[in-house]
Amino acid sequence: MQLLRVAWALTGAAICCFLILLIHSRLLQEGQLAAGTCEIVTLDRDSSQPRRTIARQTARCACKKGQIAGTTRARPACVDAGIVRKKQWCEMVPCLEDEGCDLLVNKSGWTCTQPGGRVKTNTAL
């Protein structure tokens, strides 16, 4: 009789642990990002003006201590918070490999210049 009670208790504990692990894994899949990663939440493009496209994106990041959401190689990324604080945008390497980075005069953003001369202007909010 005692052996049966112990068996039922162990079975119940095993089922409980399994359910907790299942719920935990579902929460991570559905809403949480791994530390140090980012994802694009919204991306809007406005091409209503000739020869000009205005793109706005919103990213969600789970940055580690000392980091903040930024841009690396034209993708959202966690960067050193000091870069943003000092507004030294080009230090986070925001442009693609073949592009040159320059700060805007008022340090409100940066430009990425492609080899053919096309310029992409980025401003930080």
Side-chain angles (χ1 to χ4, degrees), residues 37-95:
T37 62
C38 296
E39 69 178 0
I40 297 173
V41 179
T42 61
L43 178 61
D44 301 313
R45 292 189 187 277
D46 178 6
S47 299
S48 61
Q49 298 178 14
R51 296 185 54 197
R52 185 176 186 180
T53 299
I54 299 171
R56 291 179 184 88
Q57 78 177 18
T58 305
R60 185 173 75 123
C61 298
C63 297
K64 297 176 182 175
K65 188 175 182 174
Q67 292 183 324
I68 194 166
T71 304
T72 300
R73 298 279 180 230
R75 303 276 310 151
C78 292
V79 298
D80 181 50
I83 293 172
V84 177
R85 215 176 8 258
K86 295 181 291 184
K87 296 186 177 184
Q88 296 298 316
W89 307 113
C90 290
E91 287 183 24
M92 62 184 176
V93 192
C95 303

